[in-house]
Amino acid sequence: MTVSSDDELTALKLIGRIVADALATMGKAIEPGMTTRELDAIGRRVMEAAGARPAPELVYGFPGATCISVNEEVAHGIPGDRRIMQGDLVNIDVSAEKDGYFSDTGASFAVPPVTRKVERLCKDGRRAMWTGLREVGAGKPLAGIGRAVGAFAKKNGYTLVRNLASHGVGLSLHEEPTEIATWPDASERRLMEEGLVFTVEPFLSLGATFAEDGDDPWTLYSQPNALTVQYEHTVVATRNGPLILSMPSQ
């Protein structure tokens, strides 16, 4: 999607705020002993109270309002009976639709007590996302995002999962431009046009380079097995740089 009016931008900011509020509320609600299904219900309530519809369910028939992935699960984890425990690494991915507009956000949360290595992984995962976001702007190369994130990961001793990419969003959950690499990709030649709406969502890992299928149709697992974090914002490319849409109310 390319933003072409103030009304479109207002609608995108609204759904962006809704998914960000749901993510923030879920993150604060995480407690050892609760199930991922209970955590998912909290996010659903926030979205539906704001008049939004959970996008994975709406678009793909996903069995949950949000994707919740724990430890060895990298992405698309199904909310269920799994209990969150002390020391777990919990990734929450929230996307929703309201009035025909979509937004997508995500973050990883370490459940205390955790090691300093995991604390650092979470901190650096967020830094990796912002490293990519700083490369966003009208007329700039999409490849700049992956180059910057790749340099950050290499400098700090991390790997990047290279088959889970950023993507266009706005009028649908996944749209053009597709497969925006958050790792160095020499074949990427596209430029960001002014108003382009997409996600920036690197998967920073302690060793994984690939996400592979598991026993169910949805959940993806780290390969090699290693703790991995994901942080994600929906952004608009402007002449003044990135305009972050998925910011919470407070």
Side-chain angles (χ1 to χ4, degrees), residues 6-75:
D6 289 341
D7 287 346
E8 286 182 343
L9 185 58
T10 297
L12 286 166
K13 286 180 176 178
L14 175 57
I15 188 58
R17 187 166 64 247
I18 291 168
V19 295
D21 285 345
L23 177 65
T25 302
M26 292 173 74
K28 291 173 184 174
I30 294 174
E31 288 186 1
M34 76 186 310
T35 66
T36 55
R37 181 181 287 109
E38 290 168 336
L39 183 59
D40 181 65
I42 292 169
R44 180 186 296 278
R45 284 197 294 271
V46 173
M47 287 183 275
E48 292 183 347
R53 296 186 291 175
E57 196 174 67
L58 174 68
V59 177
Y60 297 114
F62 179 79
T66 66
C67 300
I68 303 176
S69 308
V70 182
N71 295 338
E72 72 283 357
E73 301 168 350
V74 174

Side-chain angles (χ1 to χ4, degrees), residues 53 89 96 109 118 126 136 142 190 192 196 218 240 250:
R53 296 186 291 175
L89 186 60
F109 302 87
V118 172
R126 198 174 289 278
V136 173
L142 278 170
R190 295 172 293 182
M192 303 173 222
L196 184 67
W218 301 101
N240 297 318
Q250 298 178 5

